[in-house]
Amino acid sequence: MKQLQNKLRIVILSFIFITGIKAISFAQDSTASPVLLDLKYYVSDQQVPYVIVKTKTKKERKFLPVKGIPVSVYLNEESAASLLGKVVTNEKGEGKIIIPASFKSIWDSSSAFTFKATSEPVGKTEALSGELTIKKARPASVL
């Protein structure tokens, strides 16, 4: 009789434990995930460098693009003088900013840069910010 009661307790506790874990995992999936802002820098041989801004959110364990987010990108500091440009993310959650020719003197004078991106709150999306620091490669010396 005691063995039967012990087995019954184990079955009941197992059932409670398993259903409790599933309830917790569903609760985590249903919570709203914040929107993320990423920056990527690209340059190829003798081409104008540019920055890609990407916004995404995580839903059901997958990253999904967020469109319609206005983003301002700055070089080194957030000021009107260092504004590279403004862009609104497209259906893929991406926006491209080409580094203007007016920044050539700043670009040539230093080897390390920080790109800063900010956005204002839009709808249910909070204000976003992102940062990317790069270091330019030194040309190989010829012997």
Side-chain angles (χ1 to χ4, degrees):
M1 185 69 177
K2 281 191 174 187
Q3 288 179 346
L4 183 60
Q5 287 178 346
N6 286 340
K7 287 182 182 180
L8 185 59
R9 285 182 188 159
I10 291 172
V11 169
I12 291 173
L13 288 175
S14 298
F15 177 76
I16 291 172
F17 181 70
I18 291 171
T19 57
I21 287 176
K22 285 188 179 183
I24 290 170
S25 68
F26 285 127
Q28 289 176 350
D29 287 342
S30 65
T31 58
S33 187
V35 176
L36 304 172
L37 176 68
D38 292 329
L39 293 167
K40 294 183 182 188
Y41 166 77
Y42 294 93
V43 66
S44 57
D45 292 335
Q46 305 302 320
Q47 297 294 320
V48 177
Y50 61 94
V51 177
I52 296 286
V53 176
K54 189 167 188 175
T55 54
K56 60 186 175 182
T57 188
K58 192 170 185 181
K59 187 174 181 181
E60 296 177 5
R61 299 182 182 178
K62 292 182 182 179
F63 283 108
L64 301 173
V66 179
K67 68 177 182 175
I69 304 292
V71 180
S72 300
V73 179
Y74 302 90
L75 182 63
N76 295 328
E77 62 183 40
E78 290 182 41
S79 68
S82 63
L83 179 67
L84 293 174
K86 295 182 178 187
V87 68
V88 177
T89 57
N90 61 16
E91 299 81 29
K92 295 179 183 178
E94 295 180 349
K96 180 178 178 179
I97 294 185
I98 297 172
I99 298 176
S102 59
F103 285 87
K104 183 172 178 15
S105 61
I106 298 169
W107 192 257
D108 292 339
S109 67
S110 183
S111 63
F113 301 98
T114 302
F115 295 103
K116 296 182 179 189
T118 60
S119 77
E120 298 295 321
V122 177
K124 295 181 180 180
T125 304
E126 297 179 6
L128 305 172
S129 65
E131 193 171 291
L132 173 67
T133 301
I134 62 145
K135 192 170 190 177
K136 290 195 303 188
R138 287 184 268 156
S141 60
V142 178
L143 298 175

